Amino acid sequence: MKSVIIIGAGGAGLVAALSAKESGAKVTVITKEYPTRSQTCMAQGGINAVLSEDGGDSIEIHVQNTLKSAAGLADENAVRYMCQEAPHAVAWLDSIGVGFSRTNESRIAQRKLGGAYAPRACYAQDYTGLKILHTLYDRCLAEGIEILNERYLLEFLTCKDAQEKIFVYGVSVLNKRSGEVQTYEAQSVIVATGGYSRIYHNYSTNSSSSTGDGIATALRAGVKASDLEFVQFHPTALKNSSILISESARGAGGYILNSKGERFVNELLPRDEVSKAIDDEIAKGEDIFLDIRHLGLEFIEKELPQEAKLAKLYENIDPARELIPIKPAAHYTMGGIDVDENSSTCIAGLYAVGECANHRVHGANRLGGNSLLELVVFGRQVGKNAAEHAKSSDENLDLQEQITEIKEYTNEINFYEKQKFLGDLFYKNVGIKRDKTALQNVLNEVQEIRNILPKMGLDDKTKIYNTNLIEFLEFKNMLELAELIIISAINRQESRGAHFRVDFPAADNEKFKAHSIIDKNGAICYED
Amino acid sequence: MKINIKRDSVVCYEVEAKKQTLLEALNEIKITQDGSLAYNSGCRSSVCGSCAVRVNGREVLACSYHVQDGDFVEPLNNTPVIRDLVVDMDKAYGFNAKAKAYQSSITSSVLLSHEDEKLNEVQSNCILCGSCYSACPVYAVNSEFLGPFSLTRVLRYVSDKRETNKKEKIDNIQINGVWDCTLCNACTLVCPQGISSKADIEKLRARSAMFGYMDPSFSNFGGGISF
Ligand SMILES: Cc1cc2nc3c(=O)[nH]c(=O)nc-3n(C[C@H](O)[C@H](O)[C@H](O)COP(=O)(O)OP(=O)(O)OC[C@H]3O[C@@H](n4cnc5c(N)ncnc54)[C@H](O)[C@@H]3O)c2cc1C
Ligand code: SF4
Ligand code: SF4
Ligand code: FES
């Protein structure tokens, strides 16, 4: 039977799986964790959709808000498609049982997120991502979809056909439990492995699994990535742990203060502007705090219970009486595997969706609530396309198994220390503010780390559930991506959205109102 | 301070004496002392369910438990240990499919009120951490028991207006299901999300009764008992 393999079981992967199954393909989902542990569970805010135009909101305004936030870099057709499909996407989630919050009029409740004209984000209490992800998982069980847990993607298997056209025929994975390399073959493969914010290590709000594996692996196979330099920083992450304190704390009237107790920025400005202002203060040697004391204990307990719990747990402070220490942290990566309007990469049969893909709907800055939307809309589309491709493909899959050798490196240098070092470097120099000299220096550092990789390696050479090995493989993927991100950032000699160059503080529409497209060798070009 | 971790044998590690979560302490050990220690984590914020372990015999999330001097850390119970603190959850999660813990079919345009939303809000907060499963004593005698989180999930769906075939759901949880629970409440005490599978199972028993089922341990009393 014609089959589709999906790498990644977050929101994007599971939606794609359901849709491919519905289109008649045999579907196998592969994840390095378990589906419900994917980062999608962490989303709290909501998923954007204009459900009714009664309150003055409209699909057109959703399109305009998205384009504005994207700072000239989004594809208007793709954005329009996403916003038009949004009400259907939410209706579909509702039809499979997602426990959205409801209004007294029995409608799906919506709230206003930053950059939105009206309350447009559909939410499920404080657990939007959790409830969407778990319901998708339950639906996959109902449909009998095969899910293989704890298998780590190593490579996409590709081949050339008679016309020298490169196509994908499967994947090789490391079974974490047995330590064996296994291959799975399929006519279509969908990458849904999430973003790469963990390059910023201690300065990221993301799950520890957001290491850009799928993007780095796809690049090695020959696809192109785009807009890698655009990384969204969230202004209010806890200082020690980088855990997100949601925007609702500012929305509800929280203040941002420096060590002198002064407010220095309008808290309600967009994320990148608040982050930039905080970064300026930190550069002056200030510590930064979020102050919600004046909102009152009752309000905090009722409206911000998660925030209060996390602040207690990780910062050991009681936000009803004390200031919450914060810093900006890497939150969402706009760049990713470059795909066309069918979610297809330049390798036949290889598709990408979710945060690892770049559908050009977020441009230089993502609008809050649009990424859950993206993964449902394009997940539904990509599953269908991949299933159709698999059916039409007559590629002969009876190819020889490939066994990847994992090299035996010496262990003179602790790679965990280098990983932390890379995160610190990235936060300082490839973070909220960038300039050529600093970027160039980091590029040299990254190349140096790559050169000494053979001196790093494993404490643990055993086979069974070797997390040391997996983390090393993730580190290698992050290093490969790190280099391409810096090259993209050096080449974009302008400021736009989340990419701010101190040495080029203005936008340059003539040269750079274009997507940066990069291959694994760092060759870069720009495309409208 | 010292913490003891059950690996092939019990290993004692020295970690910095400061207020920190168990997950932070495990990370410290892995990065600075012993890269071979195996455990899982993801979100660090109690929502992905990756990091449940037992500390001094009680299930906790490593990312939300403050580690104490002398703590004894072990993997979850009732699941095969793969290595150190990592257990294989495939069989445990497999009970969700066996319990048919999903909506029977796709249903469009069912209007739900604010009250309808609240009916199963708590049950749908489950993060599948497996703590309840580890704490449940029934597995010692019946390894096929559908178990606390799967039954909670069944209640989550049968109490949803969008579920069109409630009877099928209830039919499916009679064997190795609601009647096998001893109502000991161990699951409730360890759930990080404030879910009481025990109470949920009682509700499912009441619903089972409405569909004509009764406690099989009563029907053994020579028949004839009818309510
Ligand atoms: C704290 C937080 C709050 C957020 N809030 C919101 C919000 O309110 N609204 C919104 O729209 N967005 C929000 N986002 C963003 C949004 O959650 C993510 O962009 C989205 O969930 C990404 O989904 P995904 O399916 O693409 O990837 P993920 O959910 O990250 O899933 C990736 C999957 O790929 C698998 N995988 C990765 N690498 C490998 C490998 N090598 N081998 C095998 N499998 C692999 C993982 O195991 C996982 O199953 C938030 C993000 C964070 C961190
Ligand atoms: S019911 Fe509670 S303890 Fe059990 S898996 Fe769900 S969250 Fe964990
Ligand atoms: S109450 Fe029932 S399900 Fe919960 S632990 Fe006890 S026997 Fe298990
Ligand atoms: S790391 Fe996600 S629940 Fe602990």
Side-chain angles (χ1 to χ4, degrees):
Chain A
M1 191 171 174
K2 303 295 179 155
S3 53
V4 176
I5 286 176
I6 296 162
I7 307 290
L14 296 185
V15 174
L18 288 166
S19 146
K21 174 85 199 241
E22 193 184 320
S23 297
K26 176 181 179 301
V27 180
T28 303
V29 180
I30 295 176
T31 161
K32 67 178 173 181
E33 308 164 275
Y34 293 85
T36 55
R37 298 181 180 182
S38 306
Q39 174 178 280
T40 298
C41 71
M42 297 168 73
Q44 301 175 342
I47 170 169
N48 290 337
V50 176
L51 299 182
S52 140
E53 305 210 339
D54 298 348
D57 201 6
S58 70
I59 288 175
E60 185 56 33
I61 302 178
H62 187 186
V63 172
Q64 294 311 326
N65 290 163
T66 304
L67 291 175
K68 174 155 188 263
S69 179
L73 214 59
D75 176 326
E76 187 167 339
N77 288 333
V79 171
R80 201 165 285 283
Y81 173 73
M82 179 176 80
C83 297
Q84 273 163 356
E85 285 298 310
H88 307 297
V90 170
W92 178 73
L93 290 174
D94 185 33
S95 76
I96 64 168
V98 173
F100 285 116
S101 294
R102 310 282 161 163
T103 64
N104 291 332
E105 293 77 42
S106 299
R107 291 199 183 163
I108 290 177
Q110 292 176 290
R111 60 184 164 209
K112 193 165 181 298
L113 298 182
Y117 166 79
R120 187 189 291 148
C122 309
Y123 59 95
Q125 307 92 39
D126 250 356
Y127 285 124
T128 313
L130 176 82
K131 295 198 178 182
I132 290 177
L133 183 66
H134 280 240
T135 311
L136 289 170
Y137 173 63
D138 296 344
R139 194 74 232 142
C140 287
L141 297 185
E143 302 292 344
I145 288 172
E146 179 182 40
I147 301 177
L148 302 174
N149 300 316
E150 306 208 295
R151 283 164 177 85
Y152 180 91
L153 168 71
L154 292 173
E155 302 296 343
F156 296 108
L157 308 179
T158 59
C159 222
K160 285 190 176 145
D161 66 10
Q163 285 81 46
E164 288 291 291
K165 195 171 154 38
I166 167 165
F167 69 92
V168 69
Y169 68 89
V171 295
S172 63
V173 300
L174 179 72
N175 182 327
K176 287 165 73 173
R177 296 171 184 164
S178 67
E180 300 291 336
V181 176
Q182 303 169 321
T183 58
Y184 294 92
E185 297 184 347
Q187 285 81 3
S188 297
V189 175
I190 301 174
V191 197
T193 47
Y196 50 89
S197 289
R198 286 300 292 191
I199 293 179
Y200 294 82
H201 200 62
N202 285 339
Y203 299 92
S204 168
T205 62
N206 280 205
S207 153
S208 49
S209 69
S210 297
T211 51
D213 295 335
I215 307 173
T217 310
L219 278 159
R220 287 199 295 276
V223 309
K224 296 201 167 67
S226 52
D227 299 332
L228 291 181
E229 64 273 38
F230 294 102
V231 178
Q232 181 173 80
F233 280 76
H234 200 291
T236 58
L238 289 178
K239 187 172 178 201
N240 285 328
S241 59
S242 291
I243 286 173
L244 182 74
I245 296 292
S246 86
E247 220 155 64
S248 45
R250 274 180 301 139
Y255 299 144
I256 293 178
L257 307 177
N258 61 20
S259 319
K260 303 184 196 81
E262 300 162 345
R263 288 173 70 188
F264 54 88
V265 61
N266 173 357
E267 288 84 358
L268 298 173
L269 285 174
R271 284 177 189 174
D272 54 336
E273 291 181 48
V274 179
S275 293
K276 225 177 285 167
I278 294 179
D279 199 56
D280 283 339
E281 289 294 304
I282 292 178
K284 288 186 219 155
E286 297 286 333
D287 289 323
I288 310 299
F289 301 93
L290 178 66
D291 184 2
I292 56 171
R293 293 172 301 181
H294 55 288
L295 302 179
L297 182 63
E298 197 183 326
F299 182 86
I300 293 172
E301 277 178 353
K302 188 161 172 287
E303 300 294 331
L304 305 165
Q306 287 283 93
E307 278 65 27
K309 181 176 135 193
L310 293 169
K312 274 193 188 121
L313 193 63
Y314 279 96
E315 304 288 332
N316 207 10
I317 63 119
D318 173 2
R321 292 186 297 110
E322 294 163 286
L323 299 175
I324 311 171
I326 55 157
K327 68 181 178 204
H331 183 55
Y332 183 87
T333 46
M334 273 73 77
I337 298 170
D338 201 45
V339 292
D340 65 14
E341 67 277 10
N342 301 314
S343 305
S344 177
T345 69
C346 59
I347 295 180
L350 187 63
Y351 298 80
V353 70
E355 194 171 336
C356 71
N358 184 7
H359 279 91
R360 305 186 178 183
V361 288
H362 305 307
N365 207 353
R366 174 192 68 120
L367 201 62
N370 266 1
S371 45
L372 288 176
L373 173 60
E374 171 195 22
L375 60 85
V376 179
V377 170
F378 291 101
R380 272 152 53 94
Q381 183 232 44
V382 72
K384 188 162 168 284
N385 292 345
E388 297 299 331
H389 174 88
K391 279 188 225 163
S392 68
S393 164
D394 49 10
E395 302 297 357
N396 171 18
L397 294 187
D398 197 18
L399 296 162
Q400 227 194 327
E401 282 209 352
Q402 293 198 353
I403 301 295
T404 318
E405 262 191 23
I406 292 141
K407 290 180 199 140
E408 285 271 331
Y409 293 158
T410 63
N411 186 24
E412 296 159 56
I413 302 169
N414 181 340
F415 79 85
Y416 291 114
E417 278 161 21
K418 289 289 169 195
Q419 189 167 340
K420 180 175 178 306
F421 175 67
L422 178 72
D424 294 352
L425 271 182
F426 253 64
Y427 187 62
K428 284 201 193 84
N429 305 300
V430 200
I432 298 164
K433 286 187 191 154
R434 301 149 176 204
D435 75 70
K436 179 154 188 213
T437 330
L439 287 169
Q440 191 60 51
N441 288 340
V442 184
L443 184 60
N444 298 342
E445 292 274 6
V446 169
Q447 283 162 346
E448 178 53 24
I449 301 176
R450 284 188 75 177
N451 289 339
I452 57 170
L453 263 180
K455 290 206 179 124
M456 297 179 215
L458 308 177
D459 221 4
D460 180 358
K461 314 255 184 199
T462 60
K463 275 184 124 175
I464 309 292
Y465 220 91
N466 187 334
T467 50
N468 195 215
L469 167 65
I470 297 290
E471 283 158 5
F472 188 63
L473 292 171
E474 290 173 338
F475 179 55
K476 276 181 66 188
N477 281 333
M478 287 194 283
L479 272 180
E480 286 174 28
L481 275 185
E483 198 170 325
L484 301 182
I485 295 166
I486 302 166
I487 294 172
S488 306
I490 290 177
N491 277 278
R492 185 173 288 277
Q493 300 184 344
E494 64 150 2
S495 293
R496 183 182 298 275
H499 173 73
F500 184 77
R501 282 282 297 260
V502 180
D503 44 352
F504 296 95
D508 180 347
N509 284 336
E510 213 153 286
K511 277 201 204 131
F512 291 113
K513 199 172 172 218
H515 301 275
S516 57
I517 317 281
I518 197 163
D519 71 6
K520 66 177 166 198
N521 302 316
I524 203 163
C525 65
Y526 292 88
E527 195 181 290
D528 279 347
Chain B
M1 70 179 135
K2 290 189 168 45
I3 60 173
N4 302 297
I5 301 179
K6 185 163 175 226
R7 307 187 62 182
D8 288 335
S9 56
V10 177
V11 184
C12 179
Y13 294 96
E14 183 74 38
V15 297
E16 218 184 305
K18 62 171 184 195
K19 196 156 189 186
Q20 60 174 335
T21 63
L22 174 58
L23 179 58
E24 289 171 307
L26 294 173
N27 289 338
E28 182 192 325
I29 294 169
K30 185 158 184 100
I31 291 164
T32 62
Q33 300 176 40
D34 187 347
S36 75
L37 180 66
Y39 55 92
N40 274 323
S41 71
C43 68
R44 330 186 296 298
S45 52
S46 323
V47 69
C48 77
S50 305
C51 68
V53 293
R54 285 185 306 140
V55 175
N56 307 328
R58 189 180 190 278
E59 287 72 12
V60 299
L61 295 178
C63 69
S64 70
Y65 170 80
H66 277 142
V67 64
Q68 318 267 328
D69 191 24
D71 274 346
F72 178 56
V73 186
E74 295 168 276
L76 292 183
N77 265 339
N78 297 328
T79 46
V81 176
I82 298 176
R83 177 171 175 176
D84 300 342
L85 301 175
V86 178
V87 294
D88 183 342
M89 292 297 286
D90 279 353
K91 181 173 179 204
Y93 290 158
F95 285 122
N96 283 333
K98 282 195 182 153
K100 300 199 178 167
Y102 43 73
Q103 193 173 296
S104 310
S105 56
I106 297 181
T107 49
S108 51
S109 338
V110 178
L111 272 191
L112 269 72
S113 68
H114 185 63
E115 290 68 39
D116 294 330
E117 168 206 341
K118 296 293 162 195
L119 284 179
N120 53 18
E121 176 184 333
V122 173
Q123 286 78 10
S124 56
N125 286 345
C126 169
I127 61 172
L128 285 182
C129 68
S131 293
C132 53
Y133 182 89
S134 167
C136 177
V138 172
Y139 291 101
V141 289
N142 179 4
S143 64
E144 289 309 310
F145 177 43
L146 292 173
F149 65 69
S150 296
L151 290 169
T152 282
R153 237 169 160 79
V154 171
L155 182 68
R156 173 241 182 282
Y157 283 104
V158 286
S159 57
D160 197 305
K161 253 179 149 175
R162 287 165 288 193
E163 177 53 58
T164 48
N165 196 347
K166 297 188 171 155
K167 177 160 188 312
E168 185 205 50
K169 295 262 164 284
I170 296 294
D171 289 347
N172 189 52
I173 52 167
Q174 299 304 315
I175 296 172
N176 295 322
V178 286
W179 308 109
D180 291 61
C181 165
T182 64
L183 304 181
C184 73
N185 210 34
C187 49
T188 313
L189 299 178
V190 299
C191 178
Q193 292 291 78
I195 295 163
S196 172
S197 291
K198 176 212 173 219
D200 294 343
I201 290 168
E202 288 181 303
K203 287 187 191 136
L204 287 170
R205 286 186 178 184
R207 280 172 189 261
S208 299
M210 288 182 336
F211 284 106
Y213 290 104
M214 58 181 177
D215 190 336
S217 56
F218 284 138
S219 58
N220 288 341
F221 289 117
I225 302 177
S226 56
F227 295 89

